[in-house]
Amino acid sequence: MNPNKALWEKGDFTRIAETIRDSGRILIDGLDVGPGMEVLDLGCGDGTTALPAAELGANVLGVDIASNLVAAGRARAAAAGLSKISFEEGDASDLMNIADERFDLVVSIFGAMFAPCPCDVAREMVRVIKPGGRIVMGNWIPGDPTLVAQVLKISAAYTPPPPEGFVSPVSWGVEANVRERFEAAGIAPDQISATPTTCIFTYDGSPAELLDLFRHYYGPTMNAYAAAESAGRTEDLHAELRTLFEQQNQGGADNTVIHATFLKVIVRK
Ligand SMILES: C[S@@+](CC[C@H](N)C(=O)[O-])C[C@H]1O[C@@H](n2cnc3c(N)ncnc32)[C@H](O)[C@@H]1O
């Protein structure tokens, strides 16, 4: 099976997504989404940003590589009574079922960054937006001291080296790479901006319990725990991550609030 698909179907990202719903809504509220707008949410998961866009009246398509998350998105949209939203399985590297220049806005928050072949991803996003349309990406930043960048860094240190030619997802968190990829896809340099931005994880439980969600449901962390177990290093990994979650918590002992920095990329065609 495609390892990228296997990684995300292995867990259940809905369990983590529940802790960032407010940030997803706030992000969409800042994008002037309105009735009649055509919006693609790429790597949509269970619709953290797709549902708020549909609630604002846009016609929304959510595309994700994980069939379990596509099903979860459909279920959430149905439960919310939303009709102008649909979800499809697909790969951000090759949006073969989507016509050129279909969308006004492509949103991809911590989504397309995980697809292999980043230049193909940039080219596909540019292809499917209309002239004058926008692409908005949220990408974790390599080396950033806050939560998810550190989770990915620590997890990678316990996971076997990736195959040759693998491009790290967090390379999308470096502005120079973002510029190179979108300029190669035909975007003018002055139409690309990248700004560090904050998203907030809120969880009604302790930092250790939030870490448990990552351990059991977040693909990259699940793989790190599996590799650490094979190497007899589970306790080391767990201690490192537990310290991280506790240090990052700005809430209380049973109420976790963690601010995480990402690179917000805005591209205009
Ligand atoms: C960290 S989750 C974010 C989900 C959602 N955007 C959110 O903010 O809740 C990453 C998502 O990207 C999806 N994904 C990973 N690789 C993908 C690819 N090649 N094409 C489409 N989706 C992909 C995963 O299945 C997962 O749903």
Side-chain angles (χ1 to χ4, degrees):
M1 194 207 256
N2 173 342
N4 179 220
K5 181 174 167 68
L7 175 71
W8 293 97
E9 289 186 346
K10 181 176 193 169
D12 178 4
F13 187 74
T14 64
R15 301 293 298 267
I16 316 292
E18 281 160 13
T19 69
I20 51 168
R21 299 290 190 220
D22 289 347
S23 287
R25 183 172 299 278
I26 289 166
L27 189 133
I28 290 297
D29 283 347
L31 296 180
D32 294 324
V33 173
M37 193 182 267
E38 297 292 328
V39 176
L40 170 65
D41 189 341
L42 199 50
C44 59
D46 65 352
T48 297
T49 41
L51 264 70
E55 283 163 8
L56 290 171
N59 301 315
V60 181
L61 173 63
V63 169
D64 199 282
I65 202 160
S67 56
N68 55 329
L69 297 174
V70 167
R74 287 179 182 146
R76 289 185 67 235
L82 293 168
S83 57
K84 294 179 182 167
I85 182 168
S86 58
F87 290 85
E88 280 175 17
E89 212 173 303
D91 188 335
S93 310
D94 183 2
L95 299 171
M96 58 178 93
N97 296 327
I98 299 182
D100 296 355
E101 301 183 359
R102 173 171 160 190
F103 295 100
D104 299 291
L105 172 66
V106 174
V107 179
S108 188
I109 305 304
F110 323 132
M113 66 173 285
F114 288 103
C117 312
C119 287
D120 294 349
V121 171
R123 194 195 59 237
E124 283 294 80
M125 287 195 284
V126 170
R127 179 181 69 76
V128 301
I129 49 165
K130 299 173 185 172
R134 281 172 299 163
I135 298 165
V136 179
M137 290 184 88
N139 302 327
W140 300 120
I141 301 170
D144 184 84
T146 62
L147 190 76
V148 183
Q150 287 298 312
V151 168
L152 293 171
K153 183 178 168 192
I154 294 168
S155 297
Y158 286 82
T159 312
E164 209 176 309
F166 175 84
V167 182
S168 168
V170 292
S171 63
W172 271 112
V174 176
E175 181 171 347
N177 295 333
V178 169
R179 290 189 168 278
E180 186 181 313
R181 292 165 189 175
F182 281 114
E183 286 175 28
I187 298 293
D190 64 352
Q191 298 301 304
I192 302 168
S193 70
T195 318
T197 307
T198 299
C199 107
I200 304 177
F201 289 79
T202 53
Y203 179 65
D204 191 15
S206 67
E209 287 168 328
L210 179 58
L211 169 57
D212 276 345
L213 290 190
F214 276 78
R215 178 175 184 166
H216 297 295
Y217 301 110
Y218 186 63
T221 325
M222 293 168 74
N223 278 354
Y225 271 95
E229 192 174 341
S230 308
R233 298 180 66 207
T234 308
E235 286 315 311
D236 295 345
L237 171 61
H238 194 59
E240 267 197 73
L241 288 173
R242 193 161 172 163
T243 301
L244 172 71
F245 276 69
E246 278 166 5
Q247 283 177 344
Q248 297 279 320
N249 182 26
Q250 296 179 24
D254 294 314
N255 160 39
T256 305
V257 178
I258 295 181
H259 292 230
T261 307
F262 65 96
L263 194 68
K264 183 175 174 184
V265 171
I266 301 184
V267 172
R268 286 182 191 274
K269 186 171 174 183

